[in-house]
Amino acid sequence: MNPLTYANTQMVLASGSPRRLELMRMMGFDPRVRVSSVDEIPDHGEDGTAYTRRLCREKAEAVRHSLNQDDPDWILAADTVVERDGQILEKPQSPEHAFEMLRELRGRPHTVTTSFCWLHRGGVICDVGTVTATVFFRDVEDAALRNYIRTGEPMDKAGAYGAQGIGAFLVERIEGSYHAIVGLPVGEVIESLTALGGLDDFPFVEK
C-alpha cells in the first residue's frame, strides 16, 4: 500500500475557522484543529492570489513543525481575502472600520480569493490551489449596514461580511465558486488530495 494513502478520515486542519471545520466534517473527515500563529500581513505589492497562496503555505508549514507524533499525516491550511480595486480587505479592526468596508463594497462587484494548501507532514509533498469568485452586493442603506455590524458577524470575516450567514442579505449574485466565498472550495480541496495520493474511495463509506 502507498504509505501516503489515507488509512482513515483523519487530517489536521490548520485553521480556527468554524466554517472550514464544518465543511470538512460535512465531507466526512475527522479534522484535528491546529491553529498557527502566522502573521496575516500582505507583503508590498502582493495581490490577493499571491498573498493567500503564500499565507496558506506558511500556515501549513508552521503547523507541521508543531505536530505530535500521533497526529495525522496530512495538513490542510487555507486563507481567504476580499479585494476591491486592487485593495485587499482583511478582517475589520473595529465596527467603524467594518462600516467603511461595507460602504465601499455595496452596490459594486468585488473579488473573493481563497487559496488552500495540502502538506504532508514529511514536508516534501505539497499542493497549493486557488479559487476565485466575483460577488455583487446590493445597494444597501447605511442603517442596514450598521444593524448588520451590531450582530457581531462581520468582525471576524474578511471584507466584513459572511455570505453563509446573515450577510447573505447583502449578496445580489455570485459569479464563480460559492465555497471559495465561504472559505474553502471543497471540490478543489478533495481533487487536490486525491491527486497527491492521500485519498482513496471518496466519498467515505462504512466498510
Side-chain angles (χ1 to χ4, degrees), residues 88-155:
I88 294 176
L89 303 181
E90 290 276 16
K91 299 172 185 177
Q93 299 173 1
S94 67
E96 194 59 32
H97 188 205
F99 181 65
E100 292 172 5
M101 284 188 186
L102 293 171
R103 288 191 70 183
E104 175 68 19
L105 295 175
R106 69 180 176 186
R108 308 167 68 190
H110 60 272
T111 301
V112 179
T113 301
T114 294
S115 293
F116 64 88
C117 175
W118 278 113
L119 178 66
H120 188 264
R121 68 181 299 150
V124 177
I125 300 175
C126 176
D127 184 50
V128 178
T130 301
V131 181
T132 63
T134 301
V135 181
F136 296 79
F137 265 15
R138 303 180 189 282
D139 192 5
V140 179
E141 297 291 336
D142 284 1
L145 296 181
R146 291 200 180 277
N147 283 341
Y148 176 50
I149 292 166
R150 290 189 187 101
T151 70
E153 184 179 88
M155 301 312 299

Side-chain angles (χ1 to χ4, degrees), residues 20 38 41-43 46-61 77-81 83 88 90 113-119 126-132 185 188 192:
R20 291 185 182 127
V38 173
I41 302 173
D43 288 340
E46 273 187 323
D47 63 10
T49 296
Y51 173 52
T52 56
R53 290 177 70 87
R54 173 180 63 81
L55 197 59
C56 69
R57 177 66 186 264
E58 289 180 357
K59 289 178 179 179
E61 285 283 4
D79 194 68
T80 301
V81 296
E83 284 183 280
I88 294 176
E90 290 276 16
T113 301
T114 294
S115 293
F116 64 88
C117 175
W118 278 113
L119 178 66
C126 176
D127 184 50
V128 178
T130 301
V131 181
T132 63
E188 289 82 358
S192 171

